[in-house]
Protein backbone atom coordinates (compact mmCIF):
# COMPACT_ATOMS: atom_id res chain seq x y z
CA UNK A 1 0.00 0.00 0.00
CA UNK A 2 2.07 2.92 -1.28
CA UNK A 3 -0.79 5.34 -0.72
CA UNK A 4 -3.59 4.93 1.82
CA UNK A 5 -5.99 7.28 0.07
CA UNK A 6 -7.01 8.12 -3.45
CA UNK A 7 -9.13 11.08 -4.44
CA UNK A 8 -10.56 13.20 -7.17
CA UNK A 9 -10.55 16.97 -6.99
CA UNK A 10 -13.68 17.22 -4.87
CA UNK A 11 -14.12 13.81 -3.40
CA UNK A 12 -11.98 11.35 -1.49
CA UNK A 13 -11.59 7.60 -1.73
CA UNK A 14 -9.44 5.29 0.38
CA UNK A 15 -7.48 2.21 -0.61
CA UNK A 16 -8.71 -1.16 0.49
CA UNK A 17 -11.74 0.16 2.37
CA UNK A 18 -15.08 -1.56 2.24
CA UNK A 19 -16.77 1.57 0.93
CA UNK A 20 -16.32 3.36 -2.37
CA UNK A 21 -16.31 7.11 -2.00
CA UNK A 22 -17.79 9.07 -4.85
CA UNK A 23 -15.60 10.53 -7.57
CA UNK A 24 -17.33 13.14 -9.68
CA UNK A 25 -17.52 12.44 -13.37
CA UNK A 26 -18.03 16.15 -13.89
CA UNK A 27 -14.40 17.23 -14.36
CA UNK A 28 -13.72 14.89 -17.28
CA UNK A 29 -17.20 15.35 -18.73
CA UNK A 30 -16.71 19.12 -18.78
CA UNK A 31 -13.48 18.63 -20.70
CA UNK A 32 -15.21 16.29 -23.14
CA UNK A 33 -18.02 18.76 -23.76
CA UNK A 34 -15.83 21.82 -24.07
CA UNK A 35 -16.68 23.14 -20.62
CA UNK A 36 -20.45 22.72 -20.74
CA UNK A 37 -22.27 20.64 -18.19
CA UNK A 38 -25.88 20.26 -17.20
CA UNK A 39 -26.82 22.30 -14.17
CA UNK A 40 -26.49 20.46 -10.87
CA UNK A 41 -29.70 19.32 -9.23
CA UNK A 42 -30.21 19.87 -5.52
CA UNK A 43 -33.33 17.98 -4.43
CA UNK A 44 -34.95 19.55 -1.37
CA UNK A 45 -35.73 16.38 0.56
CA UNK A 46 -34.74 12.75 0.98
CA UNK A 47 -37.80 11.40 -0.82
CA UNK A 48 -36.94 13.30 -3.98
CA UNK A 49 -33.29 12.35 -3.63
CA UNK A 50 -34.23 8.66 -3.48
CA UNK A 51 -36.58 8.93 -6.47
CA UNK A 52 -33.97 10.70 -8.58
CA UNK A 53 -31.25 8.28 -7.51
CA UNK A 54 -33.33 5.27 -8.54
CA UNK A 55 -34.11 6.84 -11.91
CA UNK A 56 -30.52 7.83 -12.64
CA UNK A 57 -29.14 4.46 -11.54
CA UNK A 58 -31.60 2.70 -13.87
CA UNK A 59 -30.54 5.00 -16.72
CA UNK A 60 -26.80 4.62 -16.19
CA UNK A 61 -27.32 0.89 -15.76
CA UNK A 62 -28.95 0.67 -19.18
CA UNK A 63 -26.07 2.67 -20.64
CA UNK A 64 -23.58 0.29 -18.99
CA UNK A 65 -25.53 -2.85 -19.83
CA UNK A 66 -26.05 -3.87 -16.20
CA UNK A 67 -29.55 -4.33 -14.84
CA UNK A 68 -30.48 -3.89 -11.20
CA UNK A 69 -32.31 -6.76 -9.53
CA UNK A 70 -32.91 -4.87 -6.27
CA UNK A 71 -33.41 -1.23 -5.32
CA UNK A 72 -30.47 0.82 -4.14
CA UNK A 73 -30.81 2.06 -0.57
CA UNK A 74 -30.20 5.82 -0.39
CA UNK A 75 -29.10 7.67 2.74
CA UNK A 76 -29.14 11.46 2.58
CA UNK A 77 -26.44 12.97 4.76
CA UNK A 78 -23.85 15.76 4.68
CA UNK A 79 -20.15 16.15 3.97
CA UNK A 80 -19.17 16.11 7.66
CA UNK A 81 -20.94 12.82 8.34
CA UNK A 82 -19.49 11.32 5.18
CA UNK A 83 -15.98 12.30 6.23
CA UNK A 84 -16.48 10.76 9.68
CA UNK A 85 -17.80 7.54 8.16
CA UNK A 86 -14.86 7.37 5.75
CA UNK A 87 -12.36 7.85 8.57
CA UNK A 88 -14.02 5.11 10.60
CA UNK A 89 -13.72 2.79 7.59
CA UNK A 90 -10.00 3.51 7.36
CA UNK A 91 -9.52 2.87 11.08
CA UNK A 92 -11.32 -0.45 10.75
CA UNK A 93 -9.24 -1.53 7.74
CA UNK A 94 -5.74 -0.44 8.74
CA UNK A 95 -3.73 -0.26 11.91
CA UNK A 96 -2.44 3.21 12.71
CA UNK A 97 1.16 2.00 12.54
CA UNK A 98 0.60 0.78 8.97
CA UNK A 99 -0.80 4.13 7.89
CA UNK A 100 2.11 5.93 9.51
CA UNK A 101 4.63 3.65 7.82
CA UNK A 102 2.96 4.33 4.48
CA UNK A 103 3.29 8.08 5.05
CA UNK A 104 6.99 7.72 5.83
CA UNK A 105 7.62 5.60 2.72
CA UNK A 106 5.90 8.27 0.65
CA UNK A 107 8.22 10.86 2.21
CA UNK A 108 11.26 8.72 1.41
CA UNK A 109 10.16 8.46 -2.24
CA UNK A 110 9.53 12.20 -2.54
CA UNK A 111 5.80 11.70 -3.01
CA UNK A 112 4.96 13.99 -0.10
CA UNK A 113 6.97 16.41 2.06
CA UNK A 114 8.18 15.52 5.56
CA UNK A 115 5.71 16.23 8.30
CA UNK A 116 4.53 15.17 11.74
CA UNK A 117 3.34 11.67 12.48
CA UNK A 118 -0.30 10.95 11.79
CA UNK A 119 -2.58 11.17 14.83
CA UNK A 120 -5.51 9.57 12.99
CA UNK A 121 -6.50 8.45 9.49
CA UNK A 122 -4.53 10.23 6.76
CA UNK A 123 -5.88 13.66 5.99
CA UNK A 124 -7.92 13.92 2.83
CA UNK A 125 -6.61 15.97 -0.03
CA UNK A 126 -10.03 16.83 -1.36
CA UNK A 127 -12.08 19.91 -0.69
CA UNK A 128 -15.15 17.99 0.44
CA UNK A 129 -16.70 14.55 0.52
CA UNK A 130 -19.87 14.25 -1.54
CA UNK A 131 -20.93 10.63 -1.57
CA UNK A 132 -20.01 7.01 -1.12
CA UNK A 133 -21.28 3.55 -1.98
CA UNK A 134 -21.11 1.05 0.89
CA UNK A 135 -20.94 -2.59 -0.34
CA UNK A 136 -21.92 -4.34 2.92
CA UNK A 137 -25.23 -2.50 3.11
CA UNK A 138 -25.51 -1.91 -0.67
CA UNK A 139 -26.40 1.68 0.07
CA UNK A 140 -25.52 5.06 -1.37
CA UNK A 141 -24.67 7.78 1.11
CA UNK A 142 -25.01 11.16 -0.56
CA UNK A 143 -24.74 14.85 0.22
CA UNK A 144 -27.72 16.09 -1.78
CA UNK A 145 -26.34 19.60 -1.91
CA UNK A 146 -23.07 18.55 -3.52
CA UNK A 147 -21.83 20.08 -6.74
CA UNK A 148 -22.56 17.83 -9.77
CA UNK A 149 -24.96 15.84 -7.60
CA UNK A 150 -26.48 13.86 -10.47
CA UNK A 151 -23.14 12.63 -11.76
CA UNK A 152 -22.03 11.57 -8.29
CA UNK A 153 -25.22 9.52 -7.95
CA UNK A 154 -24.69 7.99 -11.41
CA UNK A 155 -21.05 7.12 -10.68
CA UNK A 156 -21.87 5.53 -7.33
CA UNK A 157 -24.84 3.81 -8.94
CA UNK A 158 -22.42 2.02 -11.26
CA UNK A 159 -20.52 0.81 -8.19
CA UNK A 160 -23.81 -0.57 -6.87
CA UNK A 161 -24.36 -2.42 -10.15
CA UNK A 162 -20.74 -3.63 -10.24
CA UNK A 163 -21.17 -4.96 -6.73
CA UNK A 164 -24.46 -6.67 -7.58
CA UNK A 165 -23.06 -8.40 -10.67
CA UNK A 166 -19.39 -8.97 -9.81
CA UNK A 167 -18.92 -8.47 -6.07
CA UNK A 168 -16.61 -5.61 -5.09
CA UNK A 169 -15.21 -6.91 -1.80
CA UNK A 170 -12.19 -8.52 -3.44
CA UNK A 171 -11.52 -5.33 -5.41
CA UNK A 172 -11.34 -3.31 -2.19
CA UNK A 173 -9.11 -5.60 -0.15
CA UNK A 174 -5.41 -4.65 0.12
CA UNK A 175 -2.96 -6.82 -1.82
CA UNK A 176 -0.02 -7.21 0.51
CA UNK A 177 3.29 -6.54 -1.20
CA UNK A 178 1.77 -5.50 -4.53
CA UNK A 179 0.32 -2.00 -4.42
CA UNK A 180 0.48 -1.82 -8.21
CA UNK A 181 -1.97 -4.70 -8.59
CA UNK A 182 -4.18 -2.98 -6.03
CA UNK A 183 -4.09 0.23 -8.03
CA UNK A 184 -4.82 -1.70 -11.25
CA UNK A 185 -8.11 -2.87 -9.75
CA UNK A 186 -8.99 0.66 -8.74
CA UNK A 187 -8.26 1.84 -12.28
CA UNK A 188 -10.69 -0.80 -13.54
CA UNK A 189 -13.52 -0.11 -11.08
CA UNK A 190 -13.34 3.69 -11.26
CA UNK A 191 -12.53 3.84 -14.97
CA UNK A 192 -15.53 1.61 -15.67
CA UNK A 193 -17.79 3.83 -13.56
CA UNK A 194 -16.69 7.02 -15.28
CA UNK A 195 -16.92 5.47 -18.76
CA UNK A 196 -20.48 4.42 -17.92
CA UNK A 197 -21.19 8.00 -16.82
CA UNK A 198 -19.91 9.25 -20.16
CA UNK A 199 -22.14 6.75 -22.01
CA UNK A 200 -25.12 7.80 -19.88
CA UNK A 201 -24.44 11.50 -20.35
CA UNK A 202 -24.08 11.10 -24.13
CA UNK A 203 -27.15 8.90 -24.40
CA UNK A 204 -25.22 6.28 -26.39
CA UNK A 205 -24.84 2.83 -24.97
CA UNK A 206 -22.08 1.85 -27.37
CA UNK A 207 -20.01 5.05 -26.86
CA UNK A 208 -19.68 5.15 -30.65
CA UNK A 209 -19.01 8.88 -30.83
CA UNK A 210 -16.54 8.90 -27.93
CA UNK A 211 -12.93 8.75 -29.13
CA UNK A 212 -10.60 6.91 -26.73
CA UNK A 213 -7.66 8.93 -28.02
CA UNK A 214 -9.44 12.24 -27.46
CA UNK A 215 -10.64 11.07 -24.07
CA UNK A 216 -7.08 10.12 -23.11
CA UNK A 217 -5.71 13.47 -24.26
CA UNK A 218 -8.36 15.39 -22.36
CA UNK A 219 -7.83 13.24 -19.31
CA UNK A 220 -4.15 14.16 -19.31
CA UNK A 221 -5.11 17.82 -19.75
CA UNK A 222 -7.35 17.56 -16.70
CA UNK A 223 -4.50 15.99 -14.74
CA UNK A 224 -2.19 18.85 -15.69
CA UNK A 225 -4.81 21.50 -14.93
CA UNK A 226 -5.98 20.02 -11.62
CA UNK A 227 -2.57 19.00 -10.28
CA UNK A 228 -1.99 22.44 -8.80
CA UNK A 229 -5.06 21.99 -6.57
CA UNK A 230 -3.20 19.42 -4.45
CA UNK A 231 -0.64 20.05 -1.75
CA UNK A 232 1.14 16.89 -2.87
CA UNK A 233 1.03 16.77 -6.69
CA UNK A 234 2.30 13.19 -6.96
CA UNK A 235 -0.43 11.85 -4.68
CA UNK A 236 -2.96 14.11 -6.35
CA UNK A 237 -2.08 12.63 -9.74
CA UNK A 238 -2.37 9.08 -8.40
CA UNK A 239 -5.74 9.89 -6.86
CA UNK A 240 -7.09 11.38 -10.09
CA UNK A 241 -5.71 8.84 -12.54
CA UNK A 242 -8.50 6.25 -12.14
CA UNK A 243 -11.15 8.86 -12.92
CA UNK A 244 -9.44 10.91 -15.63
CA UNK A 245 -7.21 8.47 -17.50
CA UNK A 246 -8.51 4.92 -17.05
CA UNK A 247 -11.89 5.64 -18.75
CA UNK A 248 -10.12 5.87 -22.10
CA UNK A 249 -8.92 2.27 -21.74
CA UNK A 250 -12.46 1.15 -20.91
CA UNK A 251 -13.90 3.02 -23.90
CA UNK A 252 -11.33 1.54 -26.27
CA UNK A 253 -12.19 -1.99 -25.14
CA UNK A 254 -15.91 -1.26 -25.46
CA UNK A 255 -15.32 -0.06 -29.03
CA UNK A 256 -13.49 -3.30 -29.84
CA UNK A 257 -15.57 -5.92 -28.04
CA UNK A 258 -18.47 -4.27 -26.22
CA UNK A 259 -19.27 -3.98 -22.52
CA UNK A 260 -18.98 -7.75 -22.11
CA UNK A 261 -15.20 -7.32 -22.43
CA UNK A 262 -15.31 -5.10 -19.35
CA UNK A 263 -17.47 -7.62 -17.51
CA UNK A 264 -14.80 -10.23 -18.21
CA UNK A 265 -12.17 -8.11 -16.45
CA UNK A 266 -13.97 -8.61 -13.15
CA UNK A 267 -13.57 -12.37 -13.53
CA UNK A 268 -9.90 -12.00 -14.50
CA UNK A 269 -8.72 -8.63 -13.10
CA UNK A 270 -5.78 -6.68 -14.53
CA UNK A 271 -2.52 -7.51 -12.77
CA UNK A 272 -0.65 -4.23 -13.29
CA UNK A 273 -1.42 -0.56 -13.76
CA UNK A 274 0.53 -0.85 -17.04
CA UNK A 275 -2.24 -3.06 -18.39
CA UNK A 276 -4.88 -0.48 -17.46
CA UNK A 277 -2.89 2.34 -19.09
CA UNK A 278 -2.30 0.44 -22.36
CA UNK A 279 -5.32 -1.42 -23.79
CA UNK A 280 -3.15 -3.56 -26.08
CA UNK A 281 -1.13 -4.78 -23.10
CA UNK A 282 -4.34 -5.47 -21.22
CA UNK A 283 -5.73 -7.51 -24.10
CA UNK A 284 -2.44 -9.41 -24.35
CA UNK A 285 -2.24 -9.73 -20.55
CA UNK A 286 1.41 -8.70 -20.73
CA UNK A 287 2.86 -9.85 -17.39
CA UNK A 288 5.21 -7.92 -15.18
CA UNK A 289 8.84 -9.01 -15.11
CA UNK A 290 9.15 -10.92 -11.83
CA UNK A 291 11.73 -9.50 -9.43
CA UNK A 292 12.71 -11.18 -6.17
CA UNK A 293 14.35 -9.21 -3.36
CA UNK A 294 16.74 -10.61 -0.76
CA UNK A 295 17.44 -7.72 1.65
CA UNK A 296 19.43 -9.99 3.97
CA UNK A 297 22.25 -9.71 1.43
CA UNK A 298 22.74 -6.11 2.59
CA UNK A 299 23.68 -7.13 6.13
CA UNK A 300 27.36 -6.48 5.51
CA UNK A 301 26.84 -3.02 3.99
CA UNK A 302 24.01 -1.91 6.31
CA UNK A 303 24.37 -3.96 9.51
CA UNK A 304 22.01 -1.73 11.51
CA UNK A 305 19.15 -1.83 8.99
CA UNK A 306 16.28 -4.30 8.94
CA UNK A 307 13.86 -4.91 6.08
CA UNK A 308 10.32 -4.07 7.20
CA UNK A 309 8.43 -4.12 3.94
CA UNK A 310 8.48 -4.99 0.24
CA UNK A 311 6.16 -3.58 -2.41
CA UNK A 312 5.74 -2.49 -6.03
CA UNK A 313 5.45 0.95 -7.61
CA UNK A 314 4.19 0.20 -11.13
CA UNK A 315 3.94 2.33 -14.23
CA UNK A 316 1.07 4.51 -13.01
CA UNK A 317 2.90 5.70 -9.89
CA UNK A 318 6.13 6.25 -11.80
CA UNK A 319 4.20 8.28 -14.36
CA UNK A 320 2.79 10.49 -11.60
CA UNK A 321 6.18 10.92 -10.00
CA UNK A 322 7.69 12.05 -13.30
CA UNK A 323 4.69 14.25 -14.09
CA UNK A 324 5.52 16.29 -10.99
CA UNK A 325 8.65 17.61 -12.70
CA UNK A 326 7.99 17.37 -16.47
CA UNK A 327 4.88 17.76 -18.66
CA UNK A 328 2.53 14.77 -18.54
CA UNK A 329 3.16 13.90 -22.19
CA UNK A 330 6.88 13.48 -21.56
CA UNK A 331 6.24 11.70 -18.26
CA UNK A 332 3.95 9.24 -20.02
CA UNK A 333 6.56 8.50 -22.70
CA UNK A 334 9.30 8.02 -20.10
CA UNK A 335 7.18 5.69 -17.95
CA UNK A 336 5.97 3.60 -20.88
CA UNK A 337 8.05 0.51 -21.38
CA UNK A 338 7.93 -0.34 -17.66
CA UNK A 339 8.52 -4.03 -17.21
CA UNK A 340 8.39 -4.64 -13.47
CA UNK A 341 9.79 -3.38 -10.19
CA UNK A 342 10.35 -4.18 -6.54
CA UNK A 343 11.12 -1.93 -3.60
CA UNK A 344 12.52 -2.79 -0.17
CA UNK A 345 11.99 -0.57 2.89
CA UNK A 346 14.75 -0.67 5.51
CA UNK A 347 14.72 0.79 9.03
CA UNK A 348 17.02 1.08 12.02
CA UNK A 349 15.84 0.85 15.61
CA UNK A 350 16.50 4.55 16.15
CA UNK A 351 15.07 5.90 12.87
CA UNK A 352 11.34 5.47 13.48
CA UNK A 353 10.80 9.22 13.36
CA UNK A 354 12.66 9.56 10.07
CA UNK A 355 11.87 8.57 6.51
CA UNK A 356 13.20 5.04 5.89
CA UNK A 357 15.79 3.98 3.38
CA UNK A 358 14.09 2.64 0.25
CA UNK A 359 15.90 0.53 -2.33
CA UNK A 360 14.26 -0.26 -5.64
CA UNK A 361 14.97 -1.99 -8.91
CA UNK A 362 12.92 -1.12 -12.01
CA UNK A 363 13.22 -3.45 -15.00
CA UNK A 364 12.26 -2.04 -18.40
CA UNK A 365 11.23 -3.73 -21.62
CA UNK A 366 14.68 -2.99 -23.02
CA UNK A 367 17.77 -0.76 -22.69
CA UNK A 368 16.25 2.00 -24.83
CA UNK A 369 13.22 2.34 -22.55
CA UNK A 370 15.48 2.35 -19.48
CA UNK A 371 17.68 5.03 -21.07
CA UNK A 372 14.64 7.22 -21.72
CA UNK A 373 13.37 6.85 -18.16
CA UNK A 374 16.64 7.27 -16.25
CA UNK A 375 17.35 11.00 -16.86
CA UNK A 376 13.77 12.04 -16.14
CA UNK A 377 13.72 9.98 -12.96
CA UNK A 378 17.05 11.53 -11.97
CA UNK A 379 15.47 14.96 -12.46
CA UNK A 380 12.58 13.92 -10.21
CA UNK A 381 14.91 12.66 -7.48
CA UNK A 382 17.12 15.75 -7.73
CA UNK A 383 14.14 18.08 -7.32
CA UNK A 384 12.37 16.10 -4.61
CA UNK A 385 15.31 14.56 -2.72
CA UNK A 386 18.47 16.59 -3.46
CA UNK A 387 21.51 14.92 -1.96
CA UNK A 388 19.43 12.09 -0.48
CA UNK A 389 19.36 9.58 -3.33
CA UNK A 390 21.56 7.32 -5.45
CA UNK A 391 20.72 6.12 -8.95
CA UNK A 392 22.40 3.82 -11.44
CA UNK A 393 21.41 2.11 -14.69
CA UNK A 394 22.73 -1.12 -16.14
CA UNK A 395 21.20 -2.11 -19.46
CA UNK A 396 17.46 -2.38 -19.02
CA UNK A 397 17.58 -2.15 -15.21
CA UNK A 398 17.50 1.00 -13.06
CA UNK A 399 18.54 0.74 -9.41
CA UNK A 400 17.85 3.53 -6.92
CA UNK A 401 18.04 4.34 -3.23
CA UNK A 402 16.22 7.15 -1.42
CA UNK A 403 16.83 8.70 1.99
CA UNK A 404 20.35 7.30 1.95
CA UNK A 405 21.84 7.74 5.45
CA UNK A 406 25.02 9.77 5.78
CA UNK A 407 26.89 6.79 7.19
CA UNK A 408 25.96 4.51 4.29
CA UNK A 409 28.93 3.20 2.34
CA UNK A 410 29.75 4.85 -0.97
CA UNK A 411 29.41 1.39 -2.49
CA UNK A 412 25.79 1.00 -1.33
CA UNK A 413 24.38 0.51 -4.83
CA UNK A 414 27.15 -1.93 -5.70
CA UNK A 415 25.91 -4.08 -2.83
CA UNK A 416 22.27 -3.39 -3.63
CA UNK A 417 22.53 -4.89 -7.12
CA UNK A 418 22.93 -8.25 -5.37
CA UNK A 419 19.66 -7.80 -3.47
CA UNK A 420 17.42 -8.09 -6.52
CA UNK A 421 17.13 -11.17 -8.71
CA UNK A 422 15.28 -11.46 -12.01
CA UNK A 423 14.72 -15.11 -12.93
CA UNK A 424 16.24 -16.01 -16.30
Amino acid sequence: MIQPSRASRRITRSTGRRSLLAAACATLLMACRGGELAAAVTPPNSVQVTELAHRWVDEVGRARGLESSAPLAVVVTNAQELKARAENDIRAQYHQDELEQTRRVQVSLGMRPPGPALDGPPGTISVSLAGMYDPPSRSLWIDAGAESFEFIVAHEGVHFLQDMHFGLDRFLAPITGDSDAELARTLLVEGDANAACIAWESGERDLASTSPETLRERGVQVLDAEEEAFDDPVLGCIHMLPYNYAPSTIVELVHERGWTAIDALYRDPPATSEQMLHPAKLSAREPAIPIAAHPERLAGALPRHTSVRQDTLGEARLFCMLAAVVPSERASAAAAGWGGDRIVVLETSDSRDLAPLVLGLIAWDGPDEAAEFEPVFRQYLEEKLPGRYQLERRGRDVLFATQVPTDAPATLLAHAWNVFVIPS
Side-chain angles (χ1 to χ4, degrees):
M1 184 183 63
I2 297 299
Q3 87 273 11
S5 63
R6 307 183 182 112
S8 71
R9 167 77 182 260
R10 301 182 184 86
I11 308 147
T12 306
R13 179 180 187 280
S14 292
T15 301
R17 294 204 347 266
R18 290 179 60 81
S19 58
L20 289 168
L21 305 188
C25 307
T27 303
L28 185 56
L29 287 171
M30 289 178 70
C32 291
R33 299 185 60 190
E36 297 180 0
L37 186 65
V41 177
T42 307
N45 59 59
S46 59
V47 173
Q48 289 177 311
V49 170
T50 300
E51 290 176 350
L52 286 169
H54 287 167
R55 189 185 83 199
W56 290 335
V57 170
D58 285 344
E59 290 175 357
V60 76
R62 286 193 294 272
R64 171 59 178 82
L66 296 176
E67 296 293 330
S68 172
S69 59
L72 170 66
V74 180
V75 180
V76 179
T77 182
N78 56 54
Q80 291 73 28
E81 291 180 359
L82 284 168
K83 184 174 185 293
R85 184 177 178 85
E87 291 180 345
N88 288 336
D89 282 349
I90 297 172
R91 289 189 181 96
Q93 187 77 15
Y94 295 107
H95 191 277
Q96 184 64 28
D97 290 345
E98 183 181 4
L99 295 173
E100 175 58 20
Q101 184 186 75
T102 293
R103 182 194 68 84
R104 294 171 60 248
V105 171
Q106 291 170 345
V107 172
S108 179
L109 291 169
M111 299 168 73
R112 70 189 309 160
L118 296 173
D119 58 3
T124 64
I125 62 171
S126 59
V127 176
S128 64
L129 189 59
M132 60 189 287
Y133 170 67
D134 180 54
S137 62
R138 286 194 168 174
S139 60
L140 168 63
W141 293 61
I142 184 72
D143 175 5
E147 184 180 354
S148 303
F149 166 78
E150 68 272 43
F151 291 105
I152 295 168
V153 170
H155 180 101
E156 295 310 296
V158 178
H159 289 325
F160 165 65
L161 296 170
Q162 291 166 337
D163 191 28
M164 181 175 293
H165 286 264
F166 313 120
L168 288 182
D169 276 355
R170 67 193 178 103
F171 290 88
L172 300 177
I175 302 176
T176 303
D178 196 350
S179 287
D180 186 49
E182 190 178 320
L183 179 54
R185 295 186 176 193
T186 299
L187 289 162
L188 167 61
V189 172
E190 302 297 353
D192 178 19
N194 263 16
C197 283
I198 293 169
W200 170 63
E201 193 272 345
S202 66
E204 296 181 15
R205 177 172 175 169
D206 60 2
L207 291 169
S209 65
T210 302
S211 163
E213 294 77 15
T214 301
L215 195 61
R216 190 171 293 115
E217 292 173 1
R218 290 174 177 171
V220 170
Q221 291 171 4
V222 170
L223 287 173
D224 285 337
E226 298 289 308
E227 193 176 66
E228 297 179 358
F230 298 99
D231 294 332
D232 306 319
V234 176
L235 296 182
C237 174
I238 295 170
H239 298 327
M240 292 180 64
L241 209 61
Y243 311 108
N244 294 302
Y245 197 100
S248 62
T249 296
I250 301 297
V251 171
E252 185 164 333
L253 291 179
V254 172
H255 278 195
E256 293 175 355
R257 300 195 296 276
W259 284 107
T260 56
I262 310 305
D263 298 346
L265 294 177
Y266 289 90
R267 296 187 293 272
D268 183 16
T272 66
S273 63
E274 176 190 50
Q275 292 178 352
M276 284 303 302
L277 297 181
H278 304 280
K281 295 186 177 185
L282 178 60
S283 296
R285 291 299 173 142
E286 181 174 311
I289 296 171
I291 302 175
H294 301 279
E296 68 277 3
R297 296 178 181 177
L298 273 177
L302 297 171
R304 296 174 57 245
H305 284 75
T306 301
S307 173
V308 298
R309 180 175 181 173
Q310 292 190 26
D311 211 333
T312 55
L313 292 172
E315 181 179 337
R317 285 189 182 83
L318 289 171
F319 160 73
C320 287
M321 292 165 77
L322 302 185
V325 297
V326 298
S328 290
E329 184 175 355
R330 186 181 178 198
S332 178
W338 173 92
D341 69 66
R342 196 73 179 156
I343 66 169
V344 175
V345 180
L346 300 115
E347 303 251 35
T348 63
S349 59
D350 57 355
S351 68
R352 300 298 178 179
D353 295 330
L354 304 173
L357 168 64
V358 174
L359 292 175
L361 181 72
I362 310 170
W364 296 85
D365 290 341
D368 291 343
E369 289 82 359
E372 183 173 9
F373 167 79
E374 188 267 339
V376 187
F377 190 46
R378 186 180 297 277
Q379 180 180 343
Y380 167 83
L381 294 172
E382 188 61 35
E383 291 192 24
K384 297 292 184 179
L385 304 165
R388 291 173 288 161
Y389 75 90
Q390 294 183 20
L391 177 67
E392 185 176 317
R393 178 173 67 86
R394 294 181 182 176
R396 71 168 186 176
D397 301 328
V398 175
L399 181 70
F400 69 92
T402 60
Q403 296 296 341
V404 178
T406 56
D407 60 349
T411 57
L412 173 61
L413 287 190
H415 291 281
W417 281 108
N418 299 319
V419 169
F420 301 96
V421 177
I422 300 176
S424 57

